[in-house]
């Protein structure tokens, strides 16, 4: 129960012989590609608002801070596993190092909150992109019209029992994002080379909100690696290179973000959010090319919505005890021994065990009472519609990204990992390896600054939401 007490290790599930492993190079590429998304395309606008000096300083701070905290988180994971405690997810660290079930719940609230926030961002991102690419469609309330068109498609996709071939969908979405990003950066580079630096509004504007705003946007953008760190490490074929993988991937991501935010800000006087929309208004970019780039990114966002939805709804179903996600809770409760085919009293296995055998015949969650039927359908539909409602009410993509980023990303990327390290040091003492120079001072610096930014930024983000709604 208490953070400093030794906790009993959860039952271990046997690792199958065919468990998939990936090479260092492929995991490095995957870690970098999954970090290119809606967040990075919002950064140039923040640089234009904040100024070069403050933006560069904040990029270095967030990049170094998350790198440091990921090393702490990795060390805590390794320390637990060396003592027989299985750490497969971020939530497992919360269970073991933040007070048992209370810690797990705290981490799950942050994880689910961030995932739901990303769904809201996608609900705002895609209609704004489509109405810019197709300005002649839906005269009048075009954003609302596009949301009405898109949400039934998302709802149908999200009511599948599972998203099959998840890896192929993720790879396609990441590839579309990467191609769109590369083409946008290429156009920005060509524009700067031919016209020079057009943006004359890059003098430092050190207002409190502008600095915190770019902190929120950067935290939002970087969050992919912290949330998936445990899975990334477990998938790596040579786990001794996990620290190297974390360092190189975050260095590459920081380089991509820095290039994008400054090149986009230098190329356009007032960069749009997302940056891809600046190509639509640029007379120097062919209309077909600008439309193709935006549509590629739009398709990636459409697919990423489902990729983000299924982990979120799995956690919720697992905690509520309904739907396909509830079976994970049932599996966790099982001892790590092989169950007999027939029980001692010659009765067949219970229904929930038999339900684990044949999943391929069922596609929709509403087609089987075993999966909760209408109740699960209502849960999933409510998540989709609620994310649409939030996006509709917060009628500003930049403000929405800042709100999601500041509410949840500092907790997951910095505050929780440092808390893990503090408890791990207390529990495991001098056996915690490897140690790093000036650990206590560096931890105190990042914990204090991230906490202050989180508290101040949360208040400012809600104030910006009020301003947006009052002005509209």
């Amino acid at each position: 129960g208490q953070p400093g007490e030794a906790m009993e290790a959860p039952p271990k599930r046997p690792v199958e012989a065919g468990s998939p492993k990936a090479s260092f190079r492929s995991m490095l590429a995957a870690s970098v590609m999954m970090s290119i998304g809606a967040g990075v395309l919002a950064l140039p606008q923040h640089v234009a608002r904040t100024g070069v000096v403050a933006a560069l300083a904040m990029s270095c701070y967030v990049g170094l801070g998350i790198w440091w905290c990921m090393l702490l988180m990795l060390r805590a994971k390794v320390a637990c596993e060396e003592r027989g405690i299985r750490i497969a997810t971020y939530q497992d660290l919360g269970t073991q190092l933040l007070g048992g079930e209370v810690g797990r719940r705290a981490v799950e609230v942050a994880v689910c909150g961030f995932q739901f926030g990303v769904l809201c961002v996608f609900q705002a991102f895609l209609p704004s992109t489509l109405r810019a690419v197709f300005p002649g469609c839906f005269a009048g309330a075009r954003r609302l019209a596009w949301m009405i068109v898109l949400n039934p498609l998302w709802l149908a996709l999200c009511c599948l029992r599972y998203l099959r071939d998840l890896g192929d969908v993720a790879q396609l979405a990441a590839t579309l994002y990467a191609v769109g990003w590369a083409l946008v950066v290429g156009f920005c580079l060509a524009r700067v080379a031919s016209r020079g630096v057009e943006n004359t509004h890059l003098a430092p504007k050190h207002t409190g909100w502008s600095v915190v705003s770019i902190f929120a946007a950067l935290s939002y953008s970087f969050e992919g690696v912290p949330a998936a760190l445990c899975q990334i490490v477990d998938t790596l074929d040579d786990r001794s290179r996990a620290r190297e993988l974390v360092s190189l991937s975050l260095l590459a991501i920081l380089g991509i973000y820095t290039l994008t935010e400054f090149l986009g800000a230098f190329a356009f006087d007032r960069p749009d959010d997302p940056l891809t929309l600046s190509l639509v208004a640029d007379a120097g970019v062919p209309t077909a090319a600008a439309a193709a780039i935006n549509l590629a990114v739009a398709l990636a966002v459409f697919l990423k919505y489902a990729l983000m939805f299924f982990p979120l709804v799995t956690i919720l179903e697992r905690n509520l005890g309904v739907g396909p996600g509830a079976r994970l809770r049932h599996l966790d409760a099982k001892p790590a021994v092989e169950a007999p085919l027939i029980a001692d009293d010659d009765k067949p296995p219970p229904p929930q065990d038999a339900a684990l055998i044949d999943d391929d015949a069922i596609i929709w969650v509403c087609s089987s009472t075993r999966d909760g039927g209408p109740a699960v359908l209502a849960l999933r539909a409510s998540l989709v519609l609620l994310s649409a409602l939030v996006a509709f009410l917060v009628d500003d993509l930049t403000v929405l990204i800042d709100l999601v980023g500041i509410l949840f990303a500092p907790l997951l990327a910095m505050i929780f990992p440092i808390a893990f390290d503090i408890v791990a040091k207390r529990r495991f003492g001098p056996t915690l390896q490897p140690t790093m120079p000036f650990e206590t001072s560096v931890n105190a610096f990042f914990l204090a600054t991230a906490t202050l930014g989180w508290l101040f930024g949360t208040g400012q983000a809600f104030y910006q939401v009020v301003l947006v709604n009052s002005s509209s």
Side-chain angles (χ1 to χ4, degrees):
Q2 297 301 318
E5 295 178 357
M7 299 185 63
E8 184 180 353
K12 296 182 179 180
R13 280 177 284 186
V15 178
E16 299 178 2
S19 297
K21 294 292 182 180
S23 66
F24 180 89
R25 183 176 299 178
S26 62
M27 288 307 301
L28 177 61
S31 301
V32 173
M33 289 185 68
M34 75 179 182
S35 298
I36 300 176
V40 67
L41 298 175
L43 294 177
Q45 188 179 93
H46 285 82
V47 175
R49 294 178 177 180
T50 307
V52 173
V53 176
L56 183 60
M58 188 57 68
S59 297
C60 294
Y61 165 78
V62 173
L64 290 173
I66 292 180
W67 167 75
W68 176 268
C69 292
M70 290 306 93
L71 293 184
L72 298 181
M73 189 172 163
L74 178 61
R75 184 172 67 176
K77 170 180 166 64
V78 172
C80 288
E81 291 179 337
E82 286 177 345
R83 290 155 180 84
I85 303 172
R86 182 176 183 270
I87 304 295
T89 65
Y90 200 126
Q91 292 93 312
D92 291 338
L93 283 171
T95 301
Q96 298 301 323
L97 299 175
L98 290 185
E101 191 63 21
V102 174
R104 184 180 189 89
R105 296 299 184 193
V107 172
E108 281 189 340
V109 167
V111 170
C112 291
F114 183 80
Q115 290 172 337
F116 178 75
V118 173
L119 298 183
C120 299
V121 169
F122 290 163
Q123 287 272 11
F125 185 104
L126 198 50
S128 64
T129 298
L130 292 176
R131 69 177 179 176
V133 175
F134 303 107
C137 295
F138 306 119
R142 290 180 296 160
R143 187 169 72 97
L144 178 60
W146 278 115
M147 295 179 77
I148 293 174
V149 169
L150 291 168
N151 275 275
L153 300 176
W154 271 325
L155 183 58
L157 187 61
C158 292
C159 284
L160 295 171
R161 296 185 67 254
Y162 303 103
L163 189 61
R164 301 188 186 282
D165 300 323
L166 189 65
D168 294 337
V169 176
Q171 186 175 13
L172 175 60
T175 301
L176 290 171
Y177 260 137
V179 170
W181 169 82
L183 292 174
V184 169
V185 169
F187 276 115
C188 290
L189 186 61
R191 185 182 175 95
V192 171
S194 61
R195 304 185 186 185
V197 177
E198 291 193 5
N199 199 327
T200 59
H201 303 282
L202 292 177
K205 303 172 184 178
H206 296 147
T207 61
W209 171 243
S210 65
V211 175
V212 175
S213 178
I214 194 170
F215 168 64
L218 284 165
S219 300
Y220 175 96
S221 302
F222 269 103
E223 179 47 33
V225 173
L229 179 65
C230 293
Q231 292 91 329
I232 291 172
V233 172
D234 289 341
T235 306
L236 187 63
D237 59 358
D238 183 3
R239 294 185 59 176
S240 65
R241 302 185 68 184
R243 284 169 58 89
E244 181 185 357
L245 176 64
V246 170
S247 299
L248 287 180
S249 60
L250 288 175
L251 180 62
I253 294 168
L254 179 60
I256 290 173
Y257 288 178
T258 304
L259 173 66
T260 306
E261 60 185 341
F262 287 102
L263 192 57
F266 289 145
F268 297 97
D269 183 44
R270 294 181 180 179
D272 286 309
D273 180 8
L275 181 61
T276 48
L277 296 184
S278 296
L279 302 181
V280 177
D282 185 5
V285 179
T287 303
I293 293 172
N294 276 275
L295 289 176
V297 174
L299 179 56
V301 169
F302 182 84
L303 297 175
K304 290 279 281 187
Y305 187 97
L307 293 171
M308 189 62 66
F309 180 88
F310 276 88
L312 169 62
V313 80
T314 297
I315 293 175
L316 295 178
E317 290 175 349
R318 177 176 179 169
N319 284 286
L320 293 173
V322 297
R327 302 188 184 181
L328 295 178
R329 184 173 66 176
H330 172 63
L331 287 174
D332 284 345
K334 283 188 171 185
V337 296
E338 185 177 355
L341 295 178
I342 299 296
D344 293 336
D345 55 358
D346 294 331
K347 292 182 179 180
Q352 61 265 30
D353 288 339
L356 297 174
I357 300 174
D358 184 16
D359 288 335
D360 292 332
I362 301 174
I363 298 177
W364 305 100
V365 292
C366 58
S367 63
S368 171
T369 55
R370 185 177 61 193
D371 286 327
V376 176
L377 180 63
L379 171 65
R380 297 189 176 201
S382 64
L383 286 175
V384 175
L385 297 178
L386 186 58
S387 65
L389 178 62
V390 172
F392 180 76
L393 293 177
V394 184
D395 189 15
D396 189 303
L397 179 59
T398 303
V399 171
L400 186 55
I401 288 176
D402 291 348
L403 178 64
V404 175
I406 201 64
L407 276 177
F408 304 108
L411 286 170
L412 295 170
M414 293 190 183
I415 297 174
F416 281 160
I418 294 176
F420 295 156
D421 187 66
I422 292 172
V423 177
K425 284 180 180 178
R426 179 181 173 184
R427 180 181 301 176
F428 304 134
T431 62
L432 196 65
Q433 295 292 337
T435 57
M436 291 173 278
F438 312 109
E439 279 190 18
T440 303
S441 299
V442 176
N443 284 354
F445 169 74
F446 283 121
L447 181 60
T449 52
T451 303
L452 287 174
W454 175 55
L455 294 174
F456 176 73
T458 298
Q460 288 293 317
F462 280 109
Y463 177 67
Q464 293 296 319
V465 172
V466 173
L467 287 182
V468 167
N469 288 333
S470 61
S471 62
S472 59

